[in-house]
């Protein structure tokens, strides 16, 4: 079987169509996010199956067609890998997904590098052959046989300066160790190109990072204890003390209540007119997530993961009956850029106790996230006065025209869904008052001064149940507030 | 007859003067927003007064929760009383103090405006609503409310407060026009009363600084002239032109403007020098000339300052005040030797020596400084203690411990009234400058300023690795000083750490978190436990109501 025969094969045209569809799906998945997940799954699945078929075909090729076989296998690797990543993403296997993405990227890099080396060697040999042939021809005409063997003979048989980078005799590779220099240049060039392509695919435009709230609705109201109002009709016994019949009047405690009415507060924690606990503007697949910010200079991952902030997410789900993600996540500040407007997280959590080092571009990203994407920052001082100052100074740069003010105990964020009668804290690292930054009446940053994250952890840092329970309630309120404000904003945008 | 009528007139005048003196300043009283006027108290019935007094007592004790319930009780008992709006106002203020401003606005201040719109409390409420919005960060609502207060109650003190807040809000928004408008209103339009005076003065200073920064020297002067008597204005101009000029000359782009502002200011100050008055007010003229030299100094043009001082000396001679200013300026230019030449010319030799010695001290030339101060010992026998103290301090900063201690010891006997202070200085010198901890402990032991003496002694023991003694002293502090107890307990933890008792240190840090969860040292202990020992159970936790 050769290429000319292949071209006539119908399979090729079918593969071309599937490849175009795969590219379209990729484009949507990475940048547009318009297609439903099922459609993407079908597109990617089809491409992966096709790739496997071609891979099997390549394996059956004869040894002399090894290059073609390798090329087909290399190309087929991409849709298969991409399908694995997509599937793991759909199945919520976050760690496996991340691992497969990393392994796949590394494999793609090395496969590409192998092709670069192969191509380079092949072209270099070709140039060498041509050069030798030219030199031989010239020697026959003009030079003696000794000149052909002379290592110091001019690079080009004609004495011209070579500029083709594929030719190891190119002038910019120097006079010594030309092959080595060419290999190093090719390696660096390829690595740079791969890195740039990687950045474009993962950083520019955004892809997997969309945040969708759980669909539904509810009221932005305080959770009250369930109250059962029971209307009781007591049996009345009219007894004639002079009657000849003896009555056995039961004591009051034994009288059975005849319930005629039971009422209770019954409403859903959420915002909007949809059914079930959730938010207007959410999606069926949407869930409440807990995303924390990674930053340089400090311990951003304090109380991160199972046994720590995951507890808060679980508690949020229990208390609000809304759908929540199983795990908490983290993103760098730059990655906030990847979330599109309208599909970005309503809040992000930030904690630590050391330093906060942000670049100017990160400050800009944060500002855009807060103002343009209607986000909210949930800051939590994890353990020092220094972090308090750093956080305040960061916010001064992010929002220079907004001054932090203490958040009152009767503010919406402290009342709904749970009434917080006091500010609970583990230790007063940054004072004893929660601070807020407001833009047009909306809290765009809630700063807790006393390590609320520690109270969410498994051992609750040894604080009293009253305090850690209040910390869960406060966490719930902040997350709920951010989602409600986001849902209101989405509704307003739609109108 | 004529005599009797004059006597009657005199009696009338005396009576009026007496009345003015005895009667309280009613306008001032009415201006206080959260105090019930005397007339208000007079209108209350005895039972009402009794209940109100109870509530006021708790309010003054800052027990706002109880006070709020007492004011509420007043309202439910005496709803129709004259004191009802006041009681509701104070209840709302209690809520503000309890961090519930939203409730205070909706259920308190707004109700006063709705039910008693003509009362003094309604005026106060309208301002408190605006202030509550501002404190909550609701800038738009606050601005609107403040503007409403100014337009509705322009003559009331609330308008002054509102203008101050409006200027502040404008500064957050970086709205210079609005800020300047508020300052101008406060400076030029608001009537100065006992309550408003300080706000108007502050606004005039801010307006002046802003004007100077923008090159409007005349406007700046005008603003200051609205707040200060004529003879004081040049000094104030010098004071408030300093920062703007300093900022302008710092940058290459605005340096020219800075020089221009300085020149205009100097020219204005010199214009104020009285001319054609007999006898010539020399002191005043000299003062104005010196002020102008100061302004030239701010513009960082040494030649001009030198020139100015030459002119001043030509005009007024070289008295101590002029020499002092010249010397200080030379020191600011790093020319210490030249400064000392000027100080040496002082007529008051004692002060001259003092200035020379201090300049040596600033240059860390300890021996020369002590030598110069010593000369004053003989020149000024009445102030031996003062000069000895300076000598001792100089030795101390120069790390000449035996000499410093010797002088302090001499002071203990020569100035027995302040023996405790000198003893403390002996101990402190040994401790912090000499590292002679045993000697320091001995001296601290004789001091009575608990708990500072025990704190220092404990530190000395720790440095001597006598940990048990240190812990004992910290224990005494915990027992005797409530305010320093958290700190002392934390120090016990550190001391255990130093002695290698890790478990005891952890226990001590946990105790800080547990016993003093609201204290800032609980934060330190909590962080230490987590970072250093990896212990998450820190036993802290508190709530702030």
């Amino acid at each position: 079987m050769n290429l000319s025969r292949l071209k006539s094969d119908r399979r090729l045209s079918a593969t071309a169509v599937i490849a175009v569809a795969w590219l379209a799906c990729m484009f949507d998945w990475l940048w547009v996010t318009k297609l439903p997940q099922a459609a993407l799954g079908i597109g990617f699945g089809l491409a992966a199956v096709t790739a496997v078929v071609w891979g099997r075909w390549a394996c059956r090729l004869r040894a002399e067609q090894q290059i073609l076989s390798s090329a087909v296998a290399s190309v087929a690797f991409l849709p298969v890998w991409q399908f694995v990543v997509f599937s793991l993403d759909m199945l919520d296997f976050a760690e496996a997904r991340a691992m497969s993405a990393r392994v796949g990227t590394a494999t793609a890099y090395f496969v590409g590098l192998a092709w670069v080396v192969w191509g380079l060697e092949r072209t270099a040999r070709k140039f060498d052959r041509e050069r030798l042939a030219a030199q031989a021809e010239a020697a026959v005409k003009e030079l003696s046989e000794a000149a052909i063997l002379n290592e110091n003979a001019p690079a080009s048989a004609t004495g011209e300066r070579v500029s083709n980078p594929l030719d190891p005799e190119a002038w910019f590779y120097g006079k010594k160790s030309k092959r080595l220099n060419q290999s190093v240049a090719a390696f660096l060039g390829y690595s740079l190109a791969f890195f740039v392509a990687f950045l474009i695919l993962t950083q520019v435009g955004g892809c997997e990072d969309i945040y969708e709230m759980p669909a539904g609705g509810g009221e932005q109201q305080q959770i009250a204890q369930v109250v059962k109002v029971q209307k009781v009709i007591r049996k009345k016994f009219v007894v004639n003390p002079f009657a000849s019949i003896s009555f056995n009047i039961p004591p009051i405690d034994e009288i059975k209540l005849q319930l005629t009415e039971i009422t209770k507060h019954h409403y859903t924690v959420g915002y909007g007119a949809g059914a079930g606990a959730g938010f207007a503007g959410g999606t069926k697949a949407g869930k409440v997530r807990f995303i924390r910010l990674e930053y340089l200079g400090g311990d951003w991952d304090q109380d991160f993961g199972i046994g720590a902030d995951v507890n808060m997410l679980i508690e949020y789900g229990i208390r609000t009956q809304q759908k929540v993600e199983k795990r908490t996540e983290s993103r760098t500040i730059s990655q906030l850029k990847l979330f599109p407007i309208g599909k970005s997280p309503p809040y992000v959590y930030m904690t630590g106790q050391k330093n906060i080092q942000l670049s100017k571009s990160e400050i800009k990203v944060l500002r855009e996230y807060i103002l343009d994407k209607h986000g909210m920052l949930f800051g939590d001082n994890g353990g020092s006065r220094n972090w308090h100052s750093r956080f305040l100074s960061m916010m001064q740069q992010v929002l220079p025209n907004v001054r932090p003010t203490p958040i009152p105990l009767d503010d919406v964020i402290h009342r709904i869904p749970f009434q917080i009668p006091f500010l609970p804290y583990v230790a007063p690292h940054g004072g004893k008052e929660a601070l807020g930054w407001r833009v047009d009446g909306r809290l765009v940053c809630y700063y807790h001064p006393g390590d609320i994250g520690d109270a969410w952890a498994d051992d609750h840092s040894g604080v009293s149940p009253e305090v850690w329970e209040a910390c869960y309630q406060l966490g719930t309120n902040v997350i709920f507030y951010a989602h409600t404000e986001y849902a209101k904003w989405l509704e307003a945008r739609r109108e | 007859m004529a005599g009797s009528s004059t006597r009657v007139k005199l009696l009338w005048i005396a009576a009026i003067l007496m009345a003015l003196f005895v009667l309280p300043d009613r306008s001032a009283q009415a201006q206080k927003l959260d105090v019930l006027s005397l007339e208000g108290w007079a209108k209350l019935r005895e039972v009402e007064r009794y209940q109100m007094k109870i509530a006021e007592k708790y309010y003054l004790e800052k027990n706002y929760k109880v006070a709020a319930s007492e004011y509420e009780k007043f309202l439910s008992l005496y709803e129709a009383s004259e004191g009802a709006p006041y009681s509701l106002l104070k209840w709302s203020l209690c809520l503000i103090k309890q961090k519930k401003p939203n409730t205070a606005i909706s259920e308190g201040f707004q109700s006063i405006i709705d039910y008693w719109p003509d009362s003094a409390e309604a005026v106060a409420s309208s301002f408190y609503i605006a202030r509550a919005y501002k404190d909550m960060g609701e800038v738009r609502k606050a601005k609107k409310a403040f503007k409403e207060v100014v337009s509705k109650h322009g003559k009331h003190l609330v308008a002054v407060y509102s203008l101050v807040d409006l200027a502040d809000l404008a500064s957050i928004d970086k709205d210079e026009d609005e800020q300047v408008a508020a300052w101008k209103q406060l400076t030029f339009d608001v009537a100065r009363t006992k309550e408003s005076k300080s706000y108007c003065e502050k606004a005039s200073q801010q307006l002046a600084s802003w004007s100077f920064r923008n090159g409007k020297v005349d406007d700046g002067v005008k603003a200051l002239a609205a707040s200060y008597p004529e003879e004081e204005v040049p000094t104030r101009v010098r004071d408030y032109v300093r920062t703007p000029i300093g900022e302008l000359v710092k940058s290459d782009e605005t340096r020219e403007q800075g020089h221009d502002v300085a020149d205009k200011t100097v020219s204005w100050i010199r214009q104020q020098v009285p001319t054609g008055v007999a006898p010539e007010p020399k002191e005043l003229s000299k003062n104005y000339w010196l002020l102008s030299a100061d302004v030239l100094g701010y513009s960082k043009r040494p030649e001009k300052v030198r020139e100015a001082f030459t002119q001043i000396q030509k005009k007024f001679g070289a008295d101590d005040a002029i020499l002092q200013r010249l010397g200080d300026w030379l020191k600011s230019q790093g020319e210490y030797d030249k400064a000392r030449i000027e100080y040496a010319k002082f007529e008051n030799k004692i002060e001259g020596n003092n200035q020379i010695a201090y300049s040596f001290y600033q240059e860390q030339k300890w021996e020369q400084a002590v030598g110069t101060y010593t000369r004053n010992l003989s020149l000024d026998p009445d102030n031996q203690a003062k000069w000895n103290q300076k000598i001792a301090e100089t030795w101390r900063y120069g790390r000449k411990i035996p000499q410093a201690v010797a002088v302090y010891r001499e002071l203990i006997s020569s100035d027995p009234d302040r023996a405790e202070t000198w003893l403390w200085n002996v101990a402190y010198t040994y401790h912090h400058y000499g590292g002679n901890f045993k000697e320091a402990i001995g001296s601290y032991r004789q001091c009575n300023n608990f708990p500072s003496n025990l704190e220092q002694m404990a530190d000395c023991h720790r440095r001597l690795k006598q940990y048990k003694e240190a812990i004992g002293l910290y224990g005494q502090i915990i027992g005797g000083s409530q305010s320093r107890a958290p700190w002392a307990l934390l120090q016990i933890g550190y001391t255990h750490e130093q002695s290698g008792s890790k478990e005891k240190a952890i226990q001590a840090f946990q105790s800080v978190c547990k016993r003093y969860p609201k204290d800032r040292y609980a934060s330190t202990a909590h962080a230490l436990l987590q970072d250093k020992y990896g212990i998450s159970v820190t036993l802290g936790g508190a709530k702030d109501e």
Side-chain angles (χ1 to χ4, degrees), chain B residues 100-111 128-129 132-133 136:
Chain B
K100 293 173 183 170
N102 291 296
T103 321
I105 291 172
S106 59
E107 292 175 28
F109 298 131
Q110 195 55 53
S111 302
Y128 281 127
I129 287 175
Y133 280 135
M136 282 192 280

Side-chain angles (χ1 to χ4, degrees), chain A residues 353 410 429 438 454 459, chain B residues 99 103 136 523 530-531 536:
Chain A
Q353 61 174 333
D410 62 353
H429 302 306
R438 277 179 210 274
D454 254 13
D459 49 28
Chain B
K99 299 173 194 168
T103 321
M136 282 192 280
S523 161
Q530 285 197 327
D531 295 346
S536 57

Side-chain angles (χ1 to χ4, degrees), chain A residues 204-414:
Chain A
V204 182
C207 51
E208 73 273 348
D209 264 350
I210 56 162
Y211 187 104
E212 289 179 328
M213 298 188 293
E219 296 90 47
Q220 195 181 5
Q221 280 187 35
Q222 210 172 90
I223 287 181
Q225 283 183 329
V226 174
V227 178
K228 289 181 181 175
V229 180
Q230 299 174 335
K231 198 174 176 183
V232 177
I233 299 171
R234 290 213 172 103
K235 282 182 180 173
K236 285 181 183 173
F237 297 92
V238 182
V239 179
N240 178 2
F242 302 108
S244 54
I245 307 158
S246 158
F247 284 96
N248 180 23
I249 303 167
I252 289 172
D253 292 349
E254 286 178 23
I255 298 171
K256 267 196 172 181
L257 300 175
Q258 190 181 340
L259 303 178
T260 58
E261 196 182 327
I262 298 178
T263 62
K264 64 176 179 180
H265 289 283
H266 188 79
Y267 56 84
T268 317
V269 181
Y271 183 79
F279 298 94
T283 62
K284 274 190 179 177
K287 283 174 182 174
V288 170
R289 288 153 64 183
F290 191 100
I291 299 174
R292 69 165 64 205
L293 284 185
E294 295 176 22
Y295 57 89
L296 281 179
D299 45 349
W300 62 268
D301 55 348
Q302 202 186 63
D303 293 321
F304 181 37
I306 295 169
D309 56 9
V310 171
N311 292 354
M312 180 61 244
L313 200 53
I314 294 166
E315 287 291 331
Y316 181 83
I318 293 167
R319 284 153 201 263
T320 60
Q321 297 299 306
Q322 291 170 9
K323 280 195 279 181
V324 294
E325 193 56 84
K326 285 174 193 158
R327 296 280 175 86
T328 51
E329 306 150 59
S330 70
R331 296 285 186 280
T332 61
I333 292 172
S334 307
Q335 282 175 326
L336 284 180
K337 237 183 353 184
L338 304 180
F339 291 100
I341 291 177
K343 292 270 183 191
S344 59
Y347 78 100
V348 283
Y349 176 76
M350 187 173 179
T351 189
Q353 61 174 333
K354 290 171 187 167
N355 289 335
I356 303 172
Q357 290 166 6
L358 299 191
S359 64
K360 277 186 182 170
S361 66
E362 285 175 319
I363 294 283
K364 200 178 156 207
V365 169
L366 265 183
R367 190 180 304 129
E368 280 170 4
Y369 166 71
I370 286 171
L371 300 177
D372 302 342
K373 296 181 179 172
H374 216 73
M376 179 183 175
L377 194 56
F378 183 2
D380 176 25
N381 189 335
S384 72
R385 192 77 204 169
N386 174 51
W387 203 84
H388 173 84
S389 315
R390 298 277 173 169
F391 189 85
L392 260 63
S393 131
M394 177 194 85
M395 287 307 295
Q396 170 64 29
Q397 291 176 67
V398 175
L399 300 171
N401 289 355
V402 184
R403 203 184 276 174
T405 49
I407 303 176
L409 288 172
D410 62 353
D411 194 277
V412 175
I413 206 165
H414 285 149

Side-chain angles (χ1 to χ4, degrees), chain B residues 31 33 123 126-127 146-167 182 185-186 190 196 199:
Chain B
Q31 301 283 8
L33 302 182
V123 179
S126 59
F127 166 72
F146 280 129
K147 281 178 182 169
E148 218 174 288
V149 173
V150 174
S151 66
K152 278 189 182 170
H153 314 289
K155 302 267 180 208
H156 199 279
L157 183 64
V158 289
V160 177
Y161 295 154
S162 299
L163 283 168
V164 172
D165 281 318
L166 275 172
Q185 226 173 320
L186 281 164
V190 169
S196 69
Y199 298 101

